[in-house]
Amino acid sequence: MQTSLSDKIYHDLKWSLIVGTYAPGDRISIRTQAEALGVSMMPVREALKRLASERVLQTSAKKSFQVAALDPKRISNLLFVRSSLEGIATELATPKLTASQLDRILELAVLMDEDIDRQDVPGYLARNYSFHFSIYSAADNAELVSLIEGLWAQTGPFIAAGARVSGMSGDWRETHRSIVDALRVRDSDLARRLIEQDISWGITLYRRMLEQQQAAQ
């Protein structure tokens, strides 16, 4: 029972990181989480330790847990790896997607347009996850999808922070519609390139931030 409770807490915390509930540098208290959930500290501690072992969270000498502080080089590197792996997953998935899956992906793209109009960052990030992983799951490669999800958890707080600072671009709307079109005509190469393009804004944002930091030194 304790293992299943720890698993649930782990997945809930991971989801919160993916959709940017936590900001870069936020500390996550074992006691506060346990009190909020009405559980003992043990399953919370185990869930946080698991996230730390996956490099999703960091630990300090005092055994506290926190989201990594802003490091533009690390984030741009993580997003570069994400774009590569997600491009591969998309290429594998394109010929395997069913008509109903494609309809759902289009529906999510439409809903994300509405999120952009409202500048609803949390709603957009949640639907963006569903959009992307509806594609990647069709690749039928659980190991690849697991790697990608781990990277989303590591980058989630920074993607959310970037979207809140720079706003959600109208270009995202066009890119997602173009991805759907490429998937429908089974153009694996184009779909892969568009997915990589979709992630490139984050790479550009944090590389530019790194350049600014270096110029200021």
Side-chain angles (χ1 to χ4, degrees):
M1 181 66 69
Q2 184 167 295
T3 300
S4 62
L5 178 58
S6 178
D7 284 346
K8 183 180 186 307
I9 295 169
Y10 162 82
H11 288 294
D12 288 348
L13 284 169
K14 191 173 185 179
W15 175 250
S16 295
L17 290 157
I18 286 171
V19 298
T21 302
Y22 294 101
D26 276 358
R27 292 187 178 277
I28 303 178
S29 163
I30 297 172
R31 185 180 300 279
T32 301
Q33 289 289 325
E35 290 175 353
L37 295 170
V39 300
S40 71
M41 291 195 291
M42 181 63 74
V44 176
R45 182 181 292 108
E46 291 303 313
L48 291 170
K49 286 173 64 177
R50 184 174 171 188
L51 289 166
S53 73
E54 296 173 356
R55 296 171 59 85
V56 175
L57 295 176
Q58 295 182 339
T59 57
S60 71
K62 296 181 180 179
K63 297 184 179 179
S64 63
F65 297 87
Q66 69 179 76
V67 180
L70 177 61
D71 179 346
K73 182 177 181 180
R74 175 174 178 265
I75 302 309
S76 61
N77 286 342
L78 286 170
L79 290 171
F80 174 77
V81 176
R82 261 191 56 184
S83 70
S84 300
L85 293 181
E86 292 176 46
I88 292 169
T90 301
E91 186 172 0
L92 293 172
T94 301
K96 300 177 182 178
L97 286 161
T98 66
S100 61
Q101 287 172 323
L102 288 166
D103 287 343
R104 175 57 179 161
I105 292 165
L106 175 59
E107 179 185 8
L108 287 164
V110 172
L111 292 171
M112 282 191 289
D113 287 351
E114 297 173 5
D115 293 327
I116 292 172
D117 290 337
R118 294 191 300 267
Q119 288 295 296
D120 178 1
V121 174
Y124 177 89
L125 291 175
R127 272 187 267 271
N128 188 51
Y129 173 94
S130 297
F131 177 92
H132 282 265
F133 282 85
S134 293
I135 298 169
Y136 307 152
S137 61
D140 195 25
N141 188 321
E143 298 303 322
L144 179 57
V145 173
S146 178
L147 287 171
I148 294 170
E149 187 175 61
L151 290 166
W152 274 60
Q154 291 187 63
T155 57
F158 302 93
I159 292 297
R164 291 187 179 104
V165 169
S166 62
M168 293 190 291
S169 170
D171 292 342
W172 299 356
R173 188 195 318 265
E174 296 177 12
T175 301
H176 287 121
R177 292 300 186 97
S178 296
I179 290 168
V180 175
D181 291 342
L183 294 172
R184 284 199 181 279
V185 298
R186 310 296 179 179
D187 190 333
S188 300
D189 183 61
L190 177 58
R192 174 177 183 160
R193 285 187 279 120
L194 288 168
I195 285 287
E196 292 170 349
Q197 177 184 321
D198 187 40
I199 302 164
S200 67
W201 79 270
I203 300 173
T204 301
L205 173 68
Y206 284 104
R207 282 182 177 169
R208 185 180 301 124
M209 192 178 297
L210 176 60
E211 290 169 359
Q212 292 170 347
Q213 285 186 354
Q214 292 172 337
Q217 292 175 353

